[in-house]
Amino acid sequence: MLCINNPYTDAWFNLAAEEYFLHSFQENVFMLWQNEPSVIIGKHQNVWAEVNMDFVRDHRIKVVRRYSGGGAVYHDAGNLNFTFIENSDNADFNKYLIQIQKFLREIGINAEADERRGLNIDGLKISGSAQCIHKKRVMYHATLLYSTDLLSLNAALTSLPTQQNDVTSPRLLYVKSVRSPVTNIKEYVPDNMQISNLKELIMNYFLKNETNNKIYIFSEKDLSAIKQLSRNKYSTSDWNFNASYLK
């Protein structure tokens, strides 16, 4: 498995990178990444019903539609993102959830899984996930709240009632997010653990998970293809807001 410690924080780029590795690579991939403040909505969601457009506009927060389904999430520098992409004829998404749980136990956090493959501590959500299948490749990605600005998270994901009828797509049925109370895992780890320390622990854990795992760094070819996909798709209003492809 190729293990990527992705240094980029642009949400358009990172969502494009996931699709690129899903479609264009044959190898299994694990990618750890972070975004600048962004709202990431599921492929089949109505952005106007999920996002406080005034808040994200005023705070210059990007809204990006991802390739997978599921609900809306908020990313910032206090949130970590896991992406697993593997070849499989029989997708077992629970195995990725279990791997994250095992890692968390190693740092002293016992997180319980819920029916939507989220992870919770004392009934408070610390991780949400989504998944998809492309041909014989599967993608599972998950968040991990470490020190996210929870006030901004709640504000960005609280849609204004005046937006509910502002629908620019002919699609009538959309996936609605399931709201849950959240917390940061920083409250449950030693005070001296920084998010950079946590990232290092995560990369080492998954790098050593299998004997053939190895570090992979974006090539110039990768960067060129990802940036092109970002420009042509993930940064466009049609993809992110109009969802005119959903009919």
Side-chain angles (χ1 to χ4, degrees):
M1 182 168 69
L2 305 179
C3 296
I4 304 170
N5 190 357
N6 177 357
Y8 297 92
T9 59
D10 177 78
W12 296 334
F13 177 94
N14 287 331
L15 273 292
E18 286 191 314
E19 183 177 335
Y20 170 73
F21 286 114
L22 179 67
H23 287 188
S24 301
F25 269 48
Q26 297 300 316
E27 298 92 343
N28 295 339
V29 173
F30 168 71
M31 185 167 71
L32 182 64
W33 50 287
Q34 292 171 281
N35 273 339
E36 62 194 2
S38 313
V39 173
I40 312 300
I41 64 170
K43 183 176 183 179
H44 304 291
Q45 290 198 290
N46 171 8
V47 64
W48 308 99
E50 300 295 334
V51 182
N52 183 325
M53 302 304 291
D54 287 348
F55 183 84
V56 299
R57 181 185 62 248
D58 293 345
H59 292 80
R60 298 183 179 180
I61 295 171
K62 286 181 179 176
V63 177
V64 190
R65 188 181 299 274
R66 63 177 178 266
Y67 190 80
S68 65
V73 292
Y74 177 80
H75 291 177
D76 64 10
N79 172 71
L80 297 176
N81 299 290
F82 300 73
T83 301
F84 300 89
I85 300 172
E86 294 187 353
N87 300 311
S88 177
D89 292 320
N90 185 23
D92 176 14
F93 294 116
N94 287 325
K95 79 173 188 177
Y96 309 110
L97 177 71
I98 292 169
Q99 287 177 22
I100 297 173
Q101 282 182 294
K102 286 181 177 178
F103 165 76
L104 290 174
R105 279 199 293 271
E106 287 206 356
I107 62 171
I109 295 175
N110 292 311
E112 296 183 353
D114 61 31
E115 67 277 6
R116 292 182 297 276
R117 299 190 183 93
L119 290 175
N120 303 272
I121 303 174
D122 299 330
L124 300 174
K125 194 169 186 175
I126 59 166
S127 175
S129 66
Q131 51 277 321
C132 65
I133 299 173
H134 174 74
K135 297 182 179 179
K136 291 189 177 182
R137 280 173 72 76
V138 302
M139 179 168 73
Y140 177 95
H141 44 194
T143 61
L144 186 62
L145 298 174
Y146 179 74
S147 58
T148 288
D149 181 342
L150 300 183
L151 292 177
S152 291
L153 180 153
N154 285 307
L157 298 179
T158 303
S159 174
L160 299 173
T162 54
Q163 296 176 182
Q164 300 303 311
N165 294 322
D166 192 1
V167 179
T168 56
S169 167
R171 186 181 177 92
L172 298 178
L173 297 176
Y174 292 87
V175 173
K176 296 182 179 180
S177 297
V178 179
R179 299 294 298 271
S180 302
V182 297
T183 191
N184 284 310
I185 66 170
K186 188 175 183 180
E187 307 299 325
Y188 301 86
V189 297
D191 290 339
N192 62 350
M193 180 180 286
Q194 303 300 314
I195 195 167
S196 57
N197 305 131
L198 182 61
K199 288 178 68 176
E200 184 177 357
L201 290 171
I202 292 169
M203 284 303 300
N204 287 338
Y205 178 85
F206 286 104
L207 188 60
K208 297 175 182 177
N209 198 34
E210 296 177 10
T211 55
N212 63 340
N213 289 356
K214 60 183 179 180
I215 290 288
Y216 182 82
I217 298 173
F218 292 121
S219 69
E220 289 301 319
K221 178 183 176 182
D222 298 335
L223 292 173
S224 177
I226 293 167
K227 289 176 182 177
Q228 181 177 6
L229 183 58
S230 172
R231 286 192 303 270
N232 294 342
K233 181 175 181 179
Y234 285 96
S235 65
T236 65
S237 294
D238 187 52
W239 172 259
N240 293 319
F241 297 97
N242 297 335
S244 58
Y245 59 92
L246 291 174
K247 297 182 180 178

